């Protein structure tokens, strides 16, 4: 997900396979998860002054696009996805779970107190988006996409 132009990338990678070789890939597809949308919405607000900051690409195409790509460069392939349900003790834990990945570049671009305020805003909005379950915990859906492609 960190490398752009998946059309060209997959053509190149499958082209490097020996006959009968298999490429196996997995990556997250969390763009539609409420927490990830909240992070994007908060980061887009002018008060954080992040508009001119470059953030690395971390996106994936939709599954049908990979079907089309693989049908053009692999003799056979399997595509599937799953959503893991991560049970977390609180809304803060929900946000902590993405601190080292999705939140990392935003927090790094902000100074200490502003970064803490940014995080608090995300926790507040996450509390509205993620109900506390009967157990007192919150559940994060973590969608992962997989495929294998054979030359």
């Amino acid at each position: 997900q960190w490398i752009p132009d998946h059309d060209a990338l997959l053509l190149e990678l499958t082209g490097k396979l020996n006959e009968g070789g298999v490429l196996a890939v997995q990556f997250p597809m969390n763009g539609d998860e409420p927490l990830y949308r909240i992070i994007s919405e908060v980061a887009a607000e002018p008060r954080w002054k992040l508009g001119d900051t470059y953030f690395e690409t971390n996106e994936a195409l939709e599954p049908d696009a990979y079907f089309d790509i693989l049908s053009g460069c692999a003799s056979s392939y399997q595509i599937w996805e799953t959503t893991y349900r991560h049970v977390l003790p609180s809304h803060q834990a929900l946000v902590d779970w993405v601190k080292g990945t999705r939140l990392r570049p935003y927090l790094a671009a902000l100074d200490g107190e502003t970064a803490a305020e940014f995080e608090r805003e995300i926790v507040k909005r996450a509390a509205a988006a993620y109900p506390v379950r009967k157990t007192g915990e919150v559940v994060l859906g973590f969608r992962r996409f997989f495929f294998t492609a054979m030359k």
Side-chain angles (χ1 to χ4, degrees):
Q1 81 262 20
W2 300 104
I3 301 170
D5 194 7
H6 288 189
D7 287 331
L9 176 63
L10 292 176
L11 185 61
E12 180 181 341
L13 291 175
T14 55
K16 293 181 182 287
L17 293 173
N18 293 328
E19 200 61 39
V22 176
L23 172 68
V25 175
Q26 65 151 331
F27 48 83
M29 285 190 144
N30 293 326
D32 290 336
E33 180 65 25
L35 180 60
Y36 287 75
R37 285 197 317 267
I38 290 166
I39 293 167
S40 295
E41 290 166 5
V42 172
E45 293 174 357
R47 69 177 166 156
W48 310 109
K49 299 179 180 134
L50 293 170
D52 294 333
T53 306
Y54 170 77
F55 295 107
E56 67 232 347
T57 301
N58 182 7
E59 298 300 326
L61 304 172
E62 286 302 312
D64 286 345
Y66 292 101
F67 178 88
D68 291 340
I69 293 167
L70 295 171
S71 67
C73 64
S75 64
S76 67
Y77 48 92
Q78 295 288 320
I79 298 172
W80 69 100
E81 63 181 81
T82 192
T83 301
Y84 297 100
R85 303 287 179 201
H86 293 289
V87 178
L88 299 159
S90 67
H91 293 102
Q92 180 62 55
L94 180 77
V95 173
D96 288 344
W97 198 83
V98 296
K99 266 179 137 171
T101 54
R102 185 61 135 205
L103 270 182
R104 180 186 44 78
Y106 300 110
L107 296 176
L110 299 168
D111 68 40
E113 183 49 41
T114 306
E117 185 181 339
F118 182 86
E119 183 180 334
R120 283 191 296 273
E121 182 64 25
I122 292 168
V123 171
K124 181 179 100 179
R125 294 187 195 188
Y130 289 86
V132 174
R133 310 314 299 183
K134 289 179 181 180
T135 62
E137 299 162 309
V138 294
V139 179
L140 173 68
F142 190 71
R143 183 177 168 208
R144 289 219 43 105
F145 180 75
F146 302 82
F147 66 81
T148 59
M150 181 180 281
K151 185 170 184 178

